[in-house]
Amino acid sequence: GAVVSQHPSRVICKSGTSVKIECRSLDFQATTMFWYRQFPKQSLMLMATSNEGSKATYEQGVEKDKFLINHASLTLSTLTVTSAHPEDSSFYICSARDPGGGNTIYFGEGSWLTVV
Amino acid sequence: GNSVTQMEGPVTLSEEAFLTINCTYTATGYPSLFWYVQYPGEGLQLLLKATKADDKGSNKGFEATYRKETTSFHLEKGSVQVSDSAVYFCALRRGGSQGNLIFGKGTKLSVKP
């Protein structure tokens, strides 16, 4: 079946540095990918919708300059957390919509980010 | 606005027990409803879905019926197994088939042998 791969699964970075998380659709072309964030004991909150070849659409309250999203190809979207701070520590998960598969949404495994 | 509320966990059951995880939603229009499952160390997987009122989604022994009158989509299984231990998320999709998902907070299920 369709698979979405997310990398890295865990990352620790120092405060003030930037970290990139990749989301790949392995066997389908995803024109749209979504990035979510999950705080402890909270729901998955949509951060932004990423469309291939265009700028991402951010949800209200999400800082565009802090969470840079690039969807340069039909199989890859990246989320870069810039100038990371400890409060950015969270679980980030991407999903990709398969337009050839009835618009089914598949999720990556998620990435645990810890900023120290 | 659109939102999903599901029962808080954790839920701990013995093997072969009956499972119900409640989910209610608030939405304009007629959203599609989903249950996703996240097994330890893995990403979210679609468990079942229903796209219109009175539809019943089912998979792996789990069932949920789209009840518009009560705005609910409760997840049930008649006899749980240890392998069902996971976090279950109820979700709705806004904006038709092109929309993103809105999730509940998730309910952790632990099944003891």
Side-chain angles (χ1 to χ4, degrees), chain A residues 34 36 38 41-44 46 49 59 91 93 97 102-110, chain B residues 36 38 41-46 49 89 93-94 97-106:
Chain A
F34 304 94
Y36 293 84
Q38 185 179 29
K41 299 184 180 181
Q42 298 294 319
S43 183
L44 291 156
L46 179 66
T49 302
E59 295 297 300
F91 182 67
I93 191 166
R97 184 165 61 215
N103 284 318
T104 301
I105 294 177
Y106 298 95
F107 283 82
E109 305 93 334
Chain B
Y36 280 83
Q38 186 174 30
E42 299 184 15
L44 289 168
Q45 302 174 25
L46 178 64
K49 68 178 181 181
F89 291 89
R93 185 165 64 195
R94 65 184 186 186
S97 63
Q98 302 294 314
N100 64 282
L101 295 167
I102 297 171
F103 289 89
K105 291 185 178 181

Side-chain angles (χ1 to χ4, degrees), chain A residues 36-58:
Chain A
Y36 293 84
R37 179 176 180 179
Q38 185 179 29
F39 294 96
K41 299 184 180 181
Q42 298 294 319
S43 183
L44 291 156
M45 300 300 296
L46 179 66
M47 298 175 65
T49 302
S50 169
N51 293 300
E52 188 268 337
S54 64
K55 290 184 179 180
T57 302
Y58 290 81

